[in-house]
Amino acid sequence: MKAVLFEKFQEAPKVVNVADPAPEAHGVVLKVEATGVCRSDWHGWMGHDSDIEVPHIPGHELAGVVEAVGKDVKNWKVGDRVTVPFICGCGSCSECHAGHQQVCLHQEQPGFTHWGSFAEYVPIHQADLNVVALPETMDFATAASLGCRFATSFRAVIDQGKVSAGQWVAVHGCGGVGLSAVMIASAAGANVIGVDLDPAKLALAKELGAVAAIDGKSDVVGAIKEITKGGAHVSLDALGHPATMTNSILCLRPRGKHIQVGLMLGDHATPAVPMPKIVGQEIELLGSHGTQAHRYGAMLDMVESGKLNPARLVGDKISIDAAPEALMNMDKFQSVGATVITSF
């Protein structure tokens, strides 16, 4: 099969031919119809993820068609249109038994713990637990954007933030995760403020429901406190940077919630945290890491009802031959919306 492979961290990936995967007894192999290029893939290529062993094929936001089925799989057949969350549970640990596959103790992640979806085919483990059926009306590019950014934002806003109508929600960083959070929080009835350095991304945030947009180079905390008359109820760092994390915490009103969605890796792994604010105002700090396959139903119901439109978040559609350059440029934040590989 054709695939994007890198043999050393931070060395330019190449498009090569490698052996097709075979399904494990409990797994399936998917023919990849679309796969997103995500900043998490860039972190992996940089060498920030200890799970990755080179040579490696990245890619974890995917949608496609079941190509082959392991002998123990009961729920899926060849030809099914499906997607998967980027965190696949083992099905056996205490967290999986409690329904928390997003923090599975033995989790596997396509594109991290094993070869991923920047390829014509990708293996998925524990298929009966982790694979999700797609609505017939949803195209593959849109479905691929669900796997990491949109689903991650859904959990962050709905399950972790418990955002409700009338609350003020600040979203720091309006890339794929942040724009998804803007749309989802707006659909939940919140008043959303988008923060970013890029005017085009701020404009799209307002189109997707944000009631205000703030230039990240300005006094972000002061602006949010003025707009909200006291601070946000919930604030999300959707980028993963010490500056956005700090602004997210400081812009909250007393007893507000900070949700850390963006990964803090490499040089940013141990940021200074404004603890006096956290203690003195009883601020909640919550991490949010993907979502479970069994929560996709609630999210897809909102999509099919028209309350959410993730297709609006799909940006450039590229070929697999353009993927190496797109991956290496993910730290430049130049694209508006999710870049998706749709031709192989």
Side-chain angles (χ1 to χ4, degrees):
M1 67 176 179
K2 197 173 184 180
V4 174
L5 183 90
F6 59 86
E7 296 183 339
K8 294 181 180 179
F9 295 115
Q10 302 181 35
E11 182 176 278
K14 297 178 181 177
V15 178
V16 299
N17 286 306
V18 298
D20 293 350
E24 297 189 27
H26 53 72
V28 297
V29 169
L30 304 185
K31 182 179 186 296
V32 181
E33 297 291 347
T35 182
V37 183
C38 178
R39 185 164 165 78
S40 299
D41 299 313
W42 177 83
H43 277 298
W45 171 70
M46 286 291 292
H48 296 162
D49 194 304
S50 60
D51 288 327
I52 293 177
E53 297 180 0
V54 291
H56 185 67
I57 297 172
H60 63 287
E61 294 183 309
L62 66 130
V65 176
V66 176
E67 178 76 12
V69 180
K71 65 180 181 66
D72 296 334
V73 173
K74 300 177 181 178
N75 297 339
W76 306 104
K77 65 183 186 301
V78 172
D80 285 343
R81 301 172 77 255
V82 299
T83 187
V84 293
F86 77 91
I87 300 169
C88 294
C90 70
S92 301
C93 71
S94 57
E95 296 300 333
C96 281
H97 283 304
H100 305 312
Q101 288 82 17
Q102 82 284 356
V103 290
C104 169
L105 301 178
H106 311 292
Q107 63 188 251
E108 293 185 328
Q109 300 180 21
F112 297 95
T113 59
H114 62 282
W115 283 6
S117 54
F118 284 17
E120 292 182 273
Y121 301 99
V122 62
I124 301 298
H125 305 152
Q126 298 295 339
D128 286 337
L129 177 67
N130 296 309
V131 173
V132 178
L134 287 176
E136 289 296 327
T137 55
M138 182 175 289
D139 66 86
F140 288 114
T142 301
S145 73
L146 296 178
C148 175
R149 283 168 271 207
F150 203 85
T152 292
S153 293
F154 187 84
R155 175 168 175 77
V157 172
I158 302 299
D159 293 349
Q160 296 292 80
K162 295 180 169 56
V163 167
S164 59
Q167 287 188 322
W168 284 98
V169 175
V171 178
H172 301 261
C174 291
V177 170
L179 290 171
S180 300
V182 168
M183 181 187 290
I184 294 163
S186 297
N191 304 301
V192 185
I193 301 170
V195 183
D196 203 276
L197 299 172
D198 186 341
K201 293 179 181 178
L202 291 176
L204 183 52
K206 294 193 78 170
E207 290 179 24
L208 296 175
V211 298
I214 297 174
D215 184 342
K217 295 187 292 290
S218 66
D219 176 9
V220 171
V221 173
I224 291 174
K225 287 191 172 183
E226 181 177 353
I227 292 168
T228 61
K229 297 180 175 57
H233 297 88
V234 178
S235 185
L236 298 87
D237 175 9
L239 174 60
H241 187 280
T244 46
M245 180 209 70
T246 301
N247 284 343
S248 178
I249 295 170
L250 294 180
C251 80
L252 289 164
R253 65 182 61 206
R255 297 184 57 79
K257 293 179 183 177
H258 163 74
I259 317 293
Q260 188 62 44
V261 190
L263 291 171
M264 305 283 277
L265 299 173
D267 293 340
H268 300 156
T270 54
V273 178
M275 198 55 70
K277 162 89 171 181
I278 294 164
V279 175
Q281 296 189 1
E282 294 191 349
I283 300 300
E284 291 186 60
L285 301 186
L286 296 168
S288 195
H289 189 225
T291 198
Q292 316 97 304
H294 69 76
R295 284 293 286 152
Y296 269 63
M299 179 175 66
L300 291 173
D301 285 347
M302 291 183 72
V303 173
E304 291 196 271
S305 72
K307 291 180 180 178
L308 298 175
N309 183 13
R312 294 284 307 279
L313 302 174
V314 175
D316 295 335
K317 297 179 182 179
I318 63 173
S319 71
I320 193 171
D321 295 308
E325 183 177 1
L327 173 63
M328 291 187 290
N329 287 332
M330 278 304 294
D331 64 324
K332 297 178 181 176
F333 310 111
Q334 76 280 17
S335 60
V336 177
T339 298
V340 184
I341 302 167
T342 55
S343 61
F344 297 84

